[in-house]
């Protein structure tokens, strides 16, 4: 490695001139640097590149410059070093990182990055559905003594652009008696595409003072989060005439236009603060205690009028949202016997919703308030590991979780579901056996089971508040056709997992995993989610037949099912099959030539199985019989990736990257039989179902050694 003086004349060292100036230029320094420059181009139009260019900016342009590099410099006598890296400087996903430190004393770093997301769905009204992110972060660490260290991290991210969004309404409604349903001369329902404007900033600060002792390691920290949105609401401007379901333009029914023109709330300004104390204490070399105590406060005080809203309750200029959270957790690991290890964990979390109550909603002729969402959670876990023989190791575990959601706010109304639960408890057990068959093969089996139950259901009062139902299965309870949340229902969960690791030789290695699981749900209703299941299989293999050639293969398969019934309609089951295959080859046929090729294929299919029942409306049954139900949603993608590298000399090389991607996406949500989905104002949303894209990039790299 050669020695260089700091003249800061190269392309990359110019970027760190300010940092270099603080060092003594006359002292020899150890320096390394690389720079790579090139050009990339992609085929097809913007519709062809919708999926390929979703996150790299290549949907809106066909070529891009390639520029990046690294720089490092070390001052041996002073113990300081500086590092700089840059990626994609000429593209929309550029990233620059700078680090400067003095060993054992201080460290400072800065990061700047950009990211982009182009919506793969295209709107016929020309809306530019693109989101750009710009992030800047600075980290600082300082050693204050042999046992104290201070760390401070600052980060801020700006998001700008627009994303797919919309509103809709169907008349009539008890809240809007002047709003009538659709007729031959009026439209009584509408779905409108409105691009959500985005101009928001999220800033975070984290500070931590750490202490390291012989037995005790502890830290005190603060974390702050600040979110601000330049747009408080979306203001629609709906015309007096829209298309009905058949695409015929008709005047809106009375009251519908004013409803659709109401402002729509966007994410409001908010902030959160957290203080915590965390650490570990070693009683003995084999007995260790971990602990954490934290207190957080989240606030939301966005002014209603400033956000574009009127008609707020008297005395409520803003929501005044406040949630205080207390968290405490402790874990103890010990080895009471030479062969036995134990782990015990306990976690407590209390969320206190202190948001003021105000009459924001109208249920019929009754004003109702917002609903408080407090909760108290306890979670305990115990695990024991013991080697049964020299080749067989066993593990047993048990866990318990209890959630109390607090008393229901009596002045609020329940909407969307038929019943809630205040408390749920879940207990589970886990067993694992891991065996080493020989030096080259080992396997494991994992069995897990858990059961969730809860307190009595809370049924809505068809107005304000709820009523506890001691026997929800009784006919008088009226819940046989109710809708229950799966997250609150009684549930039995069982899973089995198999693992195997086989390395028959130094050249060949294989890993196998298989898992199956099933959830069974039980509610007082005849409808809703009844059962769900998952199956997963994975195989990874790698083989190196020489020092210059190696190959890897991976195969994955997944199957997910949901069995459910829809009230007064059709039973609706969901089946998803997903499989993928990958093949990679890397070789070095000559001393200065290296190349690699990767092939991957993904096939994902979602099917919706519909069957009529006794409550199905005749018109729905006729429609199902005529159409056969919902079609499948299919996504298939094949990708070929090829790279080649030619070493010109020890300082420079050429690299070629070639990517070819074939995609197929059939989603009836946005198109069916070639007909795109149309909103009530005639705007359509579509995507080219078959996309064929090729990307080629050439780079030249040079090193300063």
């Amino acid at each position: 490695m050669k020695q260089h003086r700091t003249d800061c004349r190269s392309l990359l060292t110019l970027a760190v001139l300010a940092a270099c100036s603080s060092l003594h230029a006359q002292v020899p320094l150890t320096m390394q640097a690389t720079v790579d420059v090139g050009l990339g181009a992609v085929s097809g139009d913007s519709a062809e590149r919708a999926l390929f260019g979703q996150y790299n900016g290549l949907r809106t342009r066909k070529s891009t410059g390639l520029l990046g590099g690294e720089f490092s410099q070390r001052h041996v006598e002073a113990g300081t070093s500086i590092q700089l890296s840059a990626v994609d400087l000429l593209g929309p996903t550029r990233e620059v990182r700078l680090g400067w430190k003095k060993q054992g004393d201080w460290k400072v770093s800065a990061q700047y990055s950009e990211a982009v997301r182009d919506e793969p769905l295209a709107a016929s009204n020309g809306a530019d559905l693109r989101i750009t992110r710009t992030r800047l972060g600075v980290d600082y660490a300082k050693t204050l003594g042999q046992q104290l260290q201070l760390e401070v991290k600052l980060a801020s991210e700006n998001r700008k652009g627009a994303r797919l969004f919309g509103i809709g309404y169907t008349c009539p409604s008890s809240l809007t008696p002047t709003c009538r349903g659709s007729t031959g001369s009026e439209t009584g329902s509408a779905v409108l595409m409105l691009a959500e404007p985005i101009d928001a900033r999220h800033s975070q600060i984290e500070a931590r003072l750490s202490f390291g002792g012989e037995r005790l390691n502890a830290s005190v920290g603060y974390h702050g989060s600040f979110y601000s949105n330049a747009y408080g609401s979306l203001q629609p401007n709906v015309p007096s005439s829209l298309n009905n379901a058949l695409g015929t333009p008709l005047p809106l029914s009375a009251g519908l236009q004013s409803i659709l023109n109401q402002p729509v709330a966007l994410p409001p300004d908010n902030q959160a603060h957290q203080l915590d104390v965390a650490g570990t204490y070693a009683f003995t070399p084999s007995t260790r205690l971990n602990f954490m105590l934290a207190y957080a406060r989240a606030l939301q005080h966005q002014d209603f009028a400033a956000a574009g809203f009127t008609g707020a309750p008297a005395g409520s200029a803003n929501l005044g949202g406040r949630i205080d959270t207390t968290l405490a957790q402790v874990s103890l690991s010990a080895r009471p016997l030479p062969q036995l290890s134990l782990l015990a964990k306990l976690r407590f979390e209390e969320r206190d919703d202190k948001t003021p109550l105000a009459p924001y909603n109208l249920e019929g002729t009754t004003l109702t308030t917002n609903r408080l969402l407090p909760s108290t959670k306890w979670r305990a876990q115990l695990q024991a590991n013991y080697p049964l023989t020299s080749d067989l190791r066993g593990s047993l575990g048990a866990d318990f979780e209890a959630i109390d959601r607090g008393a229901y706010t009596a002045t609020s109304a329940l909407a969307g579901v038929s019943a809630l639960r205040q408390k749920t408890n879940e207990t589970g057990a886990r067993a694992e056996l891991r065996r080493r068959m020989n030096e080259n093969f080992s396997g494991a089996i994992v069995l897990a089971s858990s059961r969730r139950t809860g307190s009595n259901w809370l049924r809505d009062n068809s107005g304000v508040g709820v009523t506890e139902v001691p026997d929800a299965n009784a006919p008088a309870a009226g819940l046989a056709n109710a809708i229950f949340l799966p997250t609150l229902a009684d549930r039995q969960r069982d899973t089995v997992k198999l693992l195997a690791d086989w390395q028959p030789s130094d050249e060949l290695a294989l890993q196998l995993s298989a898992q199956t699981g099933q959830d069974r749900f039980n509610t007082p209703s005849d409808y809703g989610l009844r059962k769900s299941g998952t199956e997963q299989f994975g195989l990874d293999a790698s083989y190196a037949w020489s020092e210059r050639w190696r190959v890897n293969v991976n195969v994955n398969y997944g199957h997910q099912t949901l069995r459910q019934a829809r009230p007064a309609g059709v039973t609706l089951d969901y089946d998803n099959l997903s499989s993928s295959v990958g093949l990679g080859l890397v070789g070095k046929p000559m001393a200065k030539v290296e190349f690699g090729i990767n092939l991957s294929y993904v096939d994902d299919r979602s099917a919706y199985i519909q069957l009529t029942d006794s409550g199905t409306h005749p018109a729905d049954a006729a429609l199902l019989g005529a159409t056969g139900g919902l079609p499948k949603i299919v996504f298939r993608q094949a990708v070929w990736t090829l790279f080649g590298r030619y070493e010109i000399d020890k300082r420079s090389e050429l690299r070629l990257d070639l990517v070819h991607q074939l995609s197929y996406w059939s989603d009836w949500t946005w198109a069916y039989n070639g007909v795109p989905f149309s909103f009530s104002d005639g705007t359509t949303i579509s995507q080219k179902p078959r996309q064929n894209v090729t990307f080629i990039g050439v780079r030249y790299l040079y090193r300063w050694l």
Side-chain angles (χ1 to χ4, degrees):
M1 187 174 294
K2 298 182 180 180
Q3 303 295 316
H4 292 262
R5 297 183 182 273
T6 338
D7 54 15
C8 296
R9 290 178 296 182
S10 69
L11 175 64
L12 291 177
T13 54
L14 285 174
V16 292
L17 181 61
C20 295
S21 63
S22 66
L23 303 177
H24 299 289
Q26 69 275 14
V27 180
L29 303 174
T30 300
M31 188 269 284
Q32 288 182 317
T34 63
V35 61
D36 65 272
V37 59
L39 183 66
V42 63
S43 66
D45 56 17
S46 60
E48 199 85 48
R49 303 191 301 267
L51 292 174
F52 181 84
Q54 187 174 0
Y55 297 104
N56 54 28
L58 290 177
R59 176 171 188 182
T60 56
R61 56 181 182 171
K62 300 194 65 172
S63 62
T64 181
L66 306 174
L67 178 62
E70 295 181 353
F71 170 84
S72 64
Q73 182 175 265
R74 185 163 59 95
H75 192 301
V76 180
E77 295 181 4
T80 59
S81 63
I82 188 169
Q83 291 183 324
L84 173 69
S85 65
V87 179
D88 193 26
L89 288 178
L90 302 180
T93 60
R94 60 181 58 90
E95 181 177 336
V96 180
R97 292 179 177 270
L98 173 66
W100 191 14
K101 68 178 180 180
K102 183 175 183 180
Q103 189 173 0
D105 189 1
W106 51 264
K107 178 173 63 175
V108 62
S109 63
Q111 312 90 34
Y112 173 82
S113 62
E114 297 179 7
V116 62
R117 182 190 183 274
D118 285 301
E119 173 61 55
L121 297 167
S124 63
N125 61 4
D128 184 14
L129 303 177
R130 162 180 273 211
I131 301 175
T132 59
R133 297 172 182 259
T134 304
R135 188 180 190 276
L136 178 63
V138 179
D139 300 346
Y140 175 77
K142 172 66 176 176
T143 300
L144 303 178
Q146 294 184 351
Q147 296 179 314
L148 288 178
Q149 185 179 37
L150 175 66
E151 292 180 278
V152 179
K153 298 181 180 181
L154 305 173
S156 182
E157 180 181 88
N158 288 347
R159 299 172 66 241
K160 291 188 176 182
R163 66 178 177 181
L164 190 63
F165 192 65
I167 60 174
Y169 200 85
T170 299
C171 299
S173 168
S174 60
L175 304 180
T176 53
T178 61
C179 182
R180 299 193 299 269
S182 298
T183 66
S185 59
E186 289 182 332
T187 296
S189 63
V191 179
L192 298 175
M193 185 285 224
L194 298 174
E196 177 189 344
I198 297 175
D199 186 359
R201 172 178 295 178
H202 184 203
S203 301
Q204 298 182 75
I205 178 173
E206 184 175 346
R208 185 164 297 276
L209 181 64
S210 302
F211 168 83
E214 182 178 352
R215 290 191 174 186
L216 175 65
N217 291 277
S219 66
V220 179
Y222 164 79
H223 180 83
S225 173
F226 307 88
Y227 178 84
S228 61
N229 193 349
Y231 300 108
S233 62
L234 180 63
Q235 303 287 337
N237 185 13
V238 180
S240 59
S241 176
L242 291 175
N243 297 340
N244 63 8
L246 300 177
T248 304
L250 293 174
L252 302 186
S253 65
L256 180 57
Q257 184 182 21
S258 61
I259 294 173
L260 295 175
N261 274 324
Q262 292 180 354
V264 180
L266 297 178
D269 297 352
N270 60 82
Q271 57 181 276
H273 310 269
Q274 176 177 296
L275 293 172
D276 69 79
V277 179
T280 63
Y281 183 80
F283 295 99
T284 67
S286 61
T287 304
R288 183 178 296 271
L289 177 72
N290 293 271
F291 61 89
M292 178 180 179
L293 179 63
Y295 176 80
R297 175 170 293 177
L299 304 171
Q300 198 273 91
H301 292 159
Q302 172 94 13
D303 188 77
F304 291 140
F309 296 101
T310 60
S316 299
N318 58 70
L319 177 66
R322 173 181 166 182
I323 296 179
D324 296 342
T325 302
T326 302
L327 172 66
Q329 61 183 34
V330 62
S331 66
L332 179 67
S333 59
R335 192 181 295 273
L337 299 174
Q339 300 296 322
L340 176 64
S341 61
L342 299 175
L343 175 65
K345 295 182 179 181
L346 182 64
R347 176 186 172 94
F348 168 80
E349 181 184 46
E350 183 180 49
R351 185 175 67 177
D352 187 6
D353 191 343
K354 295 185 176 181
T355 304
L357 297 177
Y360 292 103
N361 309 305
L362 180 65
E363 289 292 325
T365 59
T366 304
L367 284 172
T368 62
T369 69
N370 51 304
R371 181 158 64 98
L372 301 182
L373 298 172
S375 69
T376 302
K377 299 180 182 179
W378 286 93
R379 180 160 189 170
Q381 182 181 354
L382 181 64
Q383 182 173 316
N385 302 303
Y386 189 83
L388 303 175
T389 67
S390 59
D391 296 324
L392 182 63
R393 176 177 295 273
S395 175
L396 289 176
D399 53 72
F400 171 78
E401 182 181 66
I403 303 177
D404 187 342
R405 296 166 182 83
Y408 185 87
T409 305
T411 54
S412 67
L414 178 60
V417 295
S418 302
L420 294 176
R421 250 177 176 172
Q422 179 183 353
K423 299 178 181 180
T424 55
N425 299 322
E426 184 168 355
T427 57
R430 179 179 180 273
E432 177 180 340
L433 281 177
R434 186 175 294 272
R435 181 171 182 179
R436 182 181 179 184
M437 309 298 182
N438 52 53
E439 294 183 355
N440 301 322
F441 183 77
S442 62
I445 180 172
V446 181
L447 305 176
S449 179
S450 65
R451 178 173 176 79
R452 181 178 66 200
T453 58
S455 58
N456 291 333
W457 290 96
L458 305 175
R459 185 183 61 190
D460 71 286
N461 281 334
S462 299
V464 183
V466 295
T467 299
E468 183 175 354
V469 183
D471 186 4
N473 292 297
L479 296 177
N481 296 328
I483 302 174
F484 294 87
L485 291 172
T487 54
L488 299 178
D490 292 351
R491 185 197 65 199
Q492 176 68 40
R493 170 171 291 176
D494 300 293
T495 59
V496 179
K497 187 174 184 179
L498 298 175
L499 302 170
D501 194 333
W502 184 35
Q503 187 169 354
S505 65
D506 293 338
E507 298 79 17
L508 178 62
L510 298 98
Q511 294 83 37
L512 172 70
S513 65
Q515 179 176 326
T516 180
Q518 190 175 83
D519 289 354
R520 297 179 179 86
F521 298 88
N522 183 24
T523 67
S525 174
D526 296 331
Y527 297 99
L529 182 60
R530 316 311 301 169
K531 185 169 64 175
S532 67
T534 59
E535 296 175 358
Q536 294 179 340
F537 171 84
L539 173 65
D540 290 291
S542 61
Y543 179 70
W545 63 77
S546 71
E547 293 182 356
R548 291 190 173 189
W549 295 92
R550 63 183 183 273
V551 63
N552 63 278
V553 179
N554 62 80
V555 179
N556 293 280
Y557 167 84
H559 183 206
Q560 180 183 1
T561 59
L562 294 176
R563 304 291 181 244
Q564 56 189 352
R566 179 182 173 185
V570 295
T571 60
L572 181 63
D573 293 341
Y574 171 77
D575 271 73
N576 174 262
L577 284 172
S578 179
S579 58
S580 65
V581 179
L583 172 65
L585 172 67
V586 177
K588 196 170 184 180
M590 293 182 289
K592 292 189 174 184
V593 177
E594 181 183 12
F595 82 93
I597 184 170
N598 287 280
L599 309 176
S600 65
Y601 178 75
V602 176
D603 190 326
D604 187 279
R605 301 166 181 262
S606 297
Y608 301 85
I609 305 171
Q610 298 169 274
L611 300 171
T612 60
D613 63 9
S614 58
T616 304
H617 191 278
D620 294 334
L623 179 62
L624 179 60
T627 63
L630 296 173
K632 293 181 179 180
I633 295 178
V634 179
F635 175 74
R636 293 194 295 265
Q637 188 175 86
V639 182
W640 292 263
T641 303
L642 172 69
F643 82 88
R645 186 175 67 88
Y646 174 70
E647 182 180 322
I648 301 173
D649 52 40
K650 291 184 178 181
R651 291 178 177 269
S652 59
E653 67 180 52
L654 284 174
R655 180 181 175 109
L656 171 70
D657 291 283
L658 180 66
V659 180
H660 183 66
Q661 178 175 293
L662 291 172
S663 303
Y664 173 76
W665 191 4
S666 174
D667 186 352
W668 50 262
T669 305
W670 301 109
Y672 182 65
N673 281 342
V675 179
F677 176 83
S678 179
F679 288 93
S680 300
D681 63 351
T683 300
T684 59
I685 297 292
S686 61
Q687 178 177 245
K688 193 171 184 177
R690 298 183 185 274
Q691 300 176 23
N692 187 341
V693 179
T694 300
F695 170 84
I696 184 170
V698 180
R699 294 174 181 265
Y700 171 75
L701 183 143
Y702 186 82
R703 303 181 184 90
W704 286 265
L705 301 175

